[in-house]
Amino acid sequence: MAMSGNRVLALFGAGLFCGALGAFVLMSAMQQRHQVSRGSMAMMEYHLKQARQQSQSDRCDAAGAYRQLLRLRALGEDSTRIFDAIGYVDVGFERRRDGFLTEIDKGLAGGPDCATIGSALKQVADACEACHHDTR
Ligand code: HEC
């Protein structure tokens, strides 16, 4: 027995609805999974910007910029645990993370000093990009 046109349409509509609902549920679950990792990356971006501003020679706030670098280091240290939970961590990730910490440490090595921190930040930003290039 052939289905009437209306029934086909209704079934098709129900299929679309279930598909959309499923996709939505899946997407919000995935987004929740990434909440902490993305949040930590938003803080990375924040502290990097702050460090840049505070290390500028015309408004040098060396103690402030140094503190921002310490925040970045702490976020880098935590990143393995955070990203392991969502399956990003492998040898490449660890190597990039270590490279990132190395660049941070170069900035910290001179103590609170705007010039040292300012020039280290360029390599730090490159280290952010290097990890993104490998992992995203
Ligand atoms: C060792 C690896 C690594 C380093 C170092 C790293 N990131 Fe990330 N970053 C990632 C990964 C992986 C993602 C994707 C996260 C996700 O989708 O859950 C990401 C995502 C981001 C995002 C997008 C977040 C979003 O809401 O989608 C921003 C912004 C970001 N990183 C900024 C930075 C900045 C700034 C630095 C350096 C100060 C940095 N990251 C250093 C691995 C890294």
Side-chain angles (χ1 to χ4, degrees):
M1 189 179 80
M3 281 199 277
S4 77
N6 279 345
R7 254 184 102 181
V8 171
L9 263 186
L11 275 178
F12 182 68
L16 269 188
F17 177 75
C18 289
L21 192 70
F24 178 76
V25 168
L26 198 70
M27 267 166 59
S28 49
M30 302 238 308
Q31 245 156 20
Q32 266 174 6
R33 235 160 67 91
H34 287 244
Q35 238 168 15
V36 178
S37 59
R38 296 209 169 127
S40 80
M41 284 294 151
M43 293 315 287
M44 282 272 197
E45 193 160 67
Y46 171 75
H47 291 300
L48 180 65
K49 273 191 191 143
Q50 291 285 305
R52 274 203 185 112
Q53 279 176 11
Q54 293 173 348
S55 62
Q56 269 167 20
S57 52
D58 54 340
R59 54 166 128 163
C60 168
D61 171 3
Y66 189 80
R67 232 181 0 256
Q68 304 299 341
L69 268 192
L70 289 176
R71 299 282 185 276
L72 282 173
R73 193 177 210 294
L75 287 165
E77 286 163 11
D78 286 351
S79 66
T80 297
R81 178 175 277 265
I82 292 172
F83 282 89
D84 200 18
I86 53 171
Y88 274 99
V89 174
D90 58 13
V91 208
F93 184 96
E94 287 295 271
R95 187 159 33 87
R96 293 307 187 186
R97 187 199 80 126
D98 291 347
F100 174 75
L101 294 180
T102 303
E103 299 308 333
I104 297 272
D105 287 342
K106 287 183 191 159
L108 292 171
D113 177 72
C114 286
T116 313
I117 293 176
S119 67
L121 286 179
K122 297 188 189 82
Q123 269 73 58
V124 168
D126 286 348
C128 307
E129 285 318 308
C131 187
H132 294 159
H133 183 265
D134 279 4
T135 52
R136 289 207 284 177

